[in-house]
């Protein structure tokens, strides 16, 4: 182990508060089948350590790594007003090869 490796920090969220919903699309289905990667919408306050712990506890699997994306809200127009959809956080989780999550 490297000397200066930081310890994972937890935000204090419970596992059921971290994961908002699984993202089920054709692209994510392909990633799940081929690469054993699953995508979730997560709480914007959650860290990678929180997401890893939540997926492992809720689905009883072993997580190898977690990638996170902060998605900006898109502009949407209704008549003459311009509003924005909400900004959200997306997590892509890679599982150990002997584990699977059945979302369907």
């Amino acid at each position: 182990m490297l000397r200066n490796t930081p310890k994972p920090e937890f935000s204090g969220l419970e596992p059921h508060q971290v994961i908002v919903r699984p993202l089920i699309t054709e692209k994510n289905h392909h990633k799940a089948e081929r690469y054993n990667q699953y995508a979730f919408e997560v709480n914007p306050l959650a860290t990678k350590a929180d997401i890893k712990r939540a997926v492992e506890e809720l689905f009883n699997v072993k997580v190898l790594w977690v990638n996170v994306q902060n998605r900006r809200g898109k502009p949407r127009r209704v008549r003459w007003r311009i509003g924005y959809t909400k900004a959200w956080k997306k997590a892509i989780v890679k599982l150990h090869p002997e584990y699977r999550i059945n979302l369907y």
Side-chain angles (χ1 to χ4, degrees):
M1 185 169 195
L2 298 174
R3 289 183 187 177
N4 294 329
T5 303
K7 293 184 180 180
E9 293 187 23
F10 297 105
S11 66
L13 296 171
E14 294 296 321
H16 66 276
Q17 295 175 321
V18 172
I19 296 178
V20 176
R21 66 187 175 104
L23 298 175
I24 300 175
T25 62
E26 287 184 28
K27 183 175 184 177
N28 291 333
H29 181 71
H30 175 72
K31 284 185 176 182
E33 292 288 321
R34 181 167 284 187
Y35 304 113
N36 206 18
Q37 296 177 8
Y38 298 87
F40 299 96
E41 180 180 345
V42 296
N43 189 321
L45 301 175
T47 63
K48 286 185 178 186
D50 288 329
I51 296 165
K52 181 177 179 176
R53 183 181 56 138
V55 170
E56 286 178 346
E57 287 183 22
L58 293 175
F59 297 105
N60 297 319
V61 294
K62 176 71 176 152
V63 174
L64 294 180
W65 51 255
V66 176
N67 284 344
V68 176
Q69 300 173 359
N70 286 309
R71 311 297 292 174
R72 264 191 263 149
K74 296 180 181 179
R76 293 288 182 246
R77 199 183 83 155
V78 177
R79 289 194 171 207
W80 58 85
R81 295 178 190 247
I82 294 180
Y84 286 87
T85 59
K86 68 174 186 153
W88 55 288
K89 195 172 202 178
K90 176 181 180 179
I92 300 173
V93 177
K94 179 156 177 81
L95 301 182
H96 192 274
E98 61 190 42
Y99 292 98
R100 292 270 179 203
I101 297 176
N102 189 10
L103 296 174
Y104 311 107

